[in-house]
Amino acid sequence: MSLDRLAPAVFVLLWSTGWVVAKYASLHSEPFTFLSMRYALSAAAFLALCLVVRAQWPNSRAAALRAVYSGFFLHGFYLAGLWWAIANGVPAGISGIIAALQPLLTAMAAPFLIGERLQQAQKLGLALGFIGIATAISPKLLDPATADLTHAALPLAINLVAMASVTYGTLYQKKHLQSGDLRTIATLQYIGALILTLPLSLIFEHQHFDGAAQAYGALAWSVFGLSMGGVGLLLYLIRRGQVSRAASLIYLMPPAVALEAFIAFGEPLTLPLIVGTVVVVTGVYLTNRKAFSEHRPAEV
């Protein structure tokens, strides 16, 4: 099985664990502090890998700065805004709907920013994916705790800006970073993310990290499982295919997280979740079904 076929499934599996990691991390560390540690260690880990394999660094200062700039949005502002919003009152269900807007926003912006256009079946797939997500998490949306969100107006706004940030970062990655070694690009991107989160930690937090085994476990998986594995595959998928197709995989995250919670914690699988998951999978299939055939001539 080629990496092109295997990468989407592995990416979904790795990326979906981020929500579980965030849950554990929030019990042991402040969000900006944890993210700063994660980004610093991720940059160091990628740097070590680059030195071992003698990876090629960008051949100009402009190219290096583009990588740093993309990381500021793709990793730094996105997760900082998302974690802060959830910590300050945005319910998980609402945040899930906001996250599900990313593939739609990416598809709408791609024709204008990078000249990428989708076929009708792909547009239908993106729409079905969003409907499936809304169906899957509808019980959470109907929870009384989500009825009054007036207290969370600012966190909701920050959550929306964070979603727009990762969309912009993804499109910028596709347009400006189509060449070069992905390992060195990732190193520079995490430096860009750290440039954002470290000052936020120093200004707004007390750098609390309790050092519990769960905290170190969450940090280790964040660095090696998510930052190196998940993000590495995301950068690969963006480079290899349409950015809208890569973004559509985000639709699979809530169902994957729900299944992991069922296996790990015994949380129930509701009927809306099962129906919504079927719709989501159908939508993602329609969006991505021609991706492999388009790459085959180049691989022969």
Side-chain angles (χ1 to χ4, degrees), residues 63-239:
L65 289 177
R66 281 195 291 269
V68 172
Y69 177 80
S70 68
F72 185 93
F73 294 96
L74 189 61
H75 307 311
F77 201 102
Y78 169 53
L79 285 184
L82 180 65
W83 282 33
W84 186 88
I86 292 176
N88 286 272
V90 176
I94 298 296
S95 184
I97 280 288
I98 293 174
L101 290 172
Q102 186 206 338
L104 294 177
L105 184 60
T106 300
M108 289 187 294
F112 302 100
L113 296 181
I114 60 176
E116 178 181 290
R117 299 186 181 278
L118 298 180
Q119 299 176 355
Q120 290 300 320
Q122 293 175 302
K123 294 178 181 178
L124 175 62
L126 287 168
L128 280 176
F130 181 76
I131 292 172
I133 288 295
T135 301
I137 67 174
S138 58
K140 294 183 179 179
L141 297 178
L142 296 175
D143 192 300
T146 67
D148 182 13
L149 291 175
T150 55
H151 65 286
L154 179 59
L156 277 171
I158 296 297
N159 203 154
L160 286 166
V161 173
M163 182 272 297
S165 172
V166 71
T167 301
Y168 172 72
T170 301
L171 292 169
Y172 187 90
Q173 168 88 20
K174 180 67 176 181
K175 184 175 182 178
H176 296 287
L177 297 168
Q178 273 297 94
S179 61
D181 194 303
L182 286 176
R183 293 163 295 193
T184 56
I185 289 174
T187 304
L188 295 170
Q189 285 181 328
Y190 283 118
I191 292 174
L194 183 62
I195 290 173
L196 173 70
T197 56
L198 183 57
L200 290 176
S201 171
L202 295 174
I203 295 171
F204 297 108
E205 296 179 345
H206 302 285
Q207 293 75 58
H208 169 69
F209 183 84
D210 66 12
Q214 295 90 336
Y216 282 114
L219 185 60
W221 181 250
S222 292
V223 172
F224 297 104
L226 294 172
S227 292
M228 298 194 74
V231 172
L233 285 172
L234 175 61
L235 299 182
Y236 174 83
L237 290 167
I238 292 172
R239 176 169 292 185

Side-chain angles (χ1 to χ4, degrees), residues 26-77:
S26 65
L27 301 175
H28 303 281
S29 176
E30 294 169 298
F32 298 149
T33 297
F34 185 89
L35 289 174
S36 295
M37 296 173 66
R38 170 181 169 177
Y39 293 147
L41 291 172
S42 298
F46 266 112
L47 176 60
L49 176 62
C50 292
L51 294 176
V52 169
V53 302
R54 298 183 179 180
Q56 184 67 40
W57 291 88
N59 54 14
S60 69
R61 178 179 296 180
L65 289 177
R66 281 195 291 269
V68 172
Y69 177 80
S70 68
F72 185 93
F73 294 96
L74 189 61
H75 307 311
F77 201 102

